[in-house]
Amino acid sequence: KWRKGHNELVERKQQKELSVRAEEMSEKIPHVNGGCISIRDKYEYTDEWYCEIVPSGIEEIMAEGRNLNHCVGKSERYWERIERKEAFVLFLRRASAPENPYYTLEVEPNGTIRQKRTHYDRQGKDIDDASAFLRKWQKVVAARLTEDDKALAARSKEQRLLEFADLKEK
């Protein structure tokens, strides 16, 4: 009972810290939460095996990073990209357990996937099983795109190429 109580206390403390950090980031970069909500109809999709979920905002993305022990939620780079509508963070889940973290995706406005990461910033062979779903999801997203989305995607691609050039130079 002592160990269980200890673990519950640690979990509550971590959740409070996460909430405080999320609130601070929301004040610093104010349009992320609204940006997440605004893209939900365009990017969410479910089939028999998998679902693509748009998080509700910063706190949920930070929790995802904590649960999978990866970088999404620890770096302001992701918040800035969402703020500029350059890239979005989405959650790939198994349809049988949509509440359980599986993979976190960083995607461009046209559905191009920049990153697919699971525990500890890794990508396992299990992502191969979801590849057909991801291709189907990308076709659905492509059909939902507006001209504004396509312009955002073109700028996003340019930005990604500039980042690659900068990394190569450094």
Side-chain angles (χ1 to χ4, degrees), residues 62-89:
M62 285 180 167
E64 174 91 347
R66 186 184 78 189
N67 290 333
L68 292 177
N69 293 299
H70 62 44
C71 62
V72 72
K74 296 176 186 172
S75 171
E76 286 188 27
R77 172 182 19 193
Y78 296 105
W79 313 129
E80 291 165 354
R81 287 177 181 165
I82 295 168
E83 181 90 359
R84 292 188 308 259
K85 298 180 181 180
E86 175 190 333
F88 306 109
V89 173

Side-chain angles (χ1 to χ4, degrees), residues 45-47 49-52 92-93 129-138:
Y45 178 72
T46 301
D47 77 358
W49 303 105
Y50 297 97
C51 50
E52 197 70 67
L92 174 64
R93 302 283 200 250
D129 296 335
S131 292
F133 167 80
L134 292 172
R135 285 189 299 275
K136 187 166 52 168
W137 168 77
Q138 287 174 317

Side-chain angles (χ1 to χ4, degrees), residues 42-43 109-111 136-146 150:
K42 194 168 296 173
Y43 295 96
N110 64 356
K136 187 166 52 168
W137 168 77
Q138 287 174 317
K139 288 179 183 175
V140 168
V141 168
R144 296 174 179 171
L145 295 178
T146 65
K150 292 173 185 175

Side-chain angles (χ1 to χ4, degrees), residues 1-144:
K1 288 182 179 182
W2 178 86
R3 184 174 293 175
K4 182 181 178 197
H6 171 266
N7 292 345
E8 288 172 358
L9 183 62
V10 168
E11 176 62 29
R12 280 194 303 247
K13 182 180 183 295
Q14 288 176 342
Q15 183 59 43
K16 180 154 177 65
E17 289 172 357
L18 187 137
S19 295
V20 168
R21 282 187 14 242
E23 188 173 324
E24 289 170 354
M25 193 55 62
S26 293
E27 290 172 9
K28 185 174 181 179
I29 305 177
H31 299 104
V32 173
N33 292 336
C36 289
I37 293 166
S38 72
I39 65 168
R40 189 163 278 150
D41 290 342
K42 194 168 296 173
Y43 295 96
E44 284 197 331
Y45 178 72
T46 301
D47 77 358
E48 180 180 354
W49 303 105
Y50 297 97
C51 50
E52 197 70 67
I53 298 173
V54 175
S56 60
I58 291 174
E59 188 168 347
E60 196 172 347
I61 295 169
M62 285 180 167
E64 174 91 347
R66 186 184 78 189
N67 290 333
L68 292 177
N69 293 299
H70 62 44
C71 62
V72 72
K74 296 176 186 172
S75 171
E76 286 188 27
R77 172 182 19 193
Y78 296 105
W79 313 129
E80 291 165 354
R81 287 177 181 165
I82 295 168
E83 181 90 359
R84 292 188 308 259
K85 298 180 181 180
E86 175 190 333
F88 306 109
V89 173
L90 306 176
F91 303 156
L92 174 64
R93 302 283 200 250
R94 289 187 174 98
S96 61
E99 66 286 346
N100 294 336
Y102 180 50
Y103 271 84
T104 307
L105 306 181
E106 181 185 17
V107 302
E108 294 180 6
N110 64 356
T112 298
I113 299 170
R114 286 186 175 186
Q115 296 187 70
K116 300 174 274 210
R117 297 290 180 256
T118 191
H119 295 280
Y120 302 101
D121 277 321
R122 294 187 181 126
Q123 183 174 315
K125 291 204 179 283
D126 60 342
I127 196 66
D128 294 341
D129 296 335
S131 292
F133 167 80
L134 292 172
R135 285 189 299 275
K136 187 166 52 168
W137 168 77
Q138 287 174 317
K139 288 179 183 175
V140 168
V141 168
R144 296 174 179 171

